[in-house]
């Protein structure tokens, strides 16, 4: 009887450990004379600044990974406000798109580069700051 209880306990603990959130993101900002693309899977960050250029890759440190995951946990991907996109309409800012993949569900947002919706500001600030360390 004790063996059965021990096995069931281990199975429940294993299920709880496997319930970690998986995520990835792809950010792209472009205009006539500007291009930036970032791809992050939580472990590595890839960056390129030319449409046909090659990606520069950087492994994220444990603290950087935790920081991004903490910010992602605060975001409700179904409740993102509509951003003002007026600057990209007149070429005052590059048009940016962010694709988030959280637990197999894809979310997509468009906004002016440098002016994300307020719910995504902290994530974009951290992501763009980390991308500067790639180059």
């Amino acid at each position: 009887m004790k063996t059965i209880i021990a096995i069931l306990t281990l199975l429940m603990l294993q299920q709880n450990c496997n319930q970690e959130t998986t995520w990835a993101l792809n950010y792209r900002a472009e205009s006539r004379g500007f291009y930036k693309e970032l791809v992050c899977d939580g472990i590595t960050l890839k960056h390129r600044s030319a449409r046909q250029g090659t990606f520069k890759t950087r492994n994220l440190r444990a603290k950087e990974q935790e920081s991004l995951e903490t910010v992602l946990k605060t975001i409700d991907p179904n409740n993102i406000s509509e951003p003002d996109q007026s600057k990209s309409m007149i070429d005052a800012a590059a048009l940016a798109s962010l694709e988030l993949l959280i637990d197999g569900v894809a979310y997509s947002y468009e906004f002016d580069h440098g002016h994300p919706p307020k719910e995504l500001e902290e994530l974009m600030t951290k992501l763009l700051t980390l991308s500067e360390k790639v180059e």
Side-chain angles (χ1 to χ4, degrees):
M1 185 67 165
K2 289 181 184 179
T3 307
I4 293 172
I5 292 173
I7 291 172
L8 288 175
T9 304
L10 286 174
L11 287 174
M12 288 188 331
L13 287 173
Q14 183 181 12
Q15 281 183 327
N16 288 340
C17 290
N18 290 337
Q19 291 179 352
E20 232 177 79
T21 301
T22 58
W23 62 274
L25 60 83
N26 186 350
Y27 175 75
R28 184 177 313 142
E30 58 187 317
S31 66
R32 285 185 247 177
F34 176 80
Y35 186 84
K36 180 181 283 270
E37 185 174 3
L38 306 172
V39 178
C40 186
D41 63 4
I43 298 169
T44 60
L45 177 65
K46 297 178 183 178
H47 173 266
R48 72 176 171 179
S49 54
R51 285 177 180 85
Q52 303 302 321
T54 58
F55 280 102
K56 296 178 182 178
T57 304
R58 174 180 181 272
N59 289 328
L60 297 174
R61 296 184 182 120
K63 285 186 178 184
E64 294 167 335
Q65 292 174 12
E66 289 173 22
S67 176
L68 282 173
E69 288 175 11
T70 301
V71 171
L72 278 166
K73 287 178 183 177
T74 66
I75 296 172
D76 178 2
N78 294 310
N79 193 20
I80 303 295
S81 60
E82 285 294 318
D84 176 23
Q85 290 182 298
S86 61
K87 293 183 181 184
S88 60
M89 298 298 176
I90 58 169
D91 285 344
L95 179 62
S97 65
L98 174 66
E99 297 170 359
L100 283 174
L101 182 65
I102 301 174
D103 290 333
V105 180
Y107 303 92
S108 179
Y109 312 99
E110 285 191 348
F111 48 89
D112 291 342
H113 176 65
H115 304 279
K118 64 182 180 195
E119 299 86 357
L120 299 174
E121 278 181 2
E122 188 176 1
L123 173 65
M124 292 309 308
T125 300
K126 286 188 182 296
L127 189 62
L128 292 171
T129 301
L130 288 172
S131 75
E132 293 172 3
K133 297 177 182 179
V134 174
E135 296 185 34

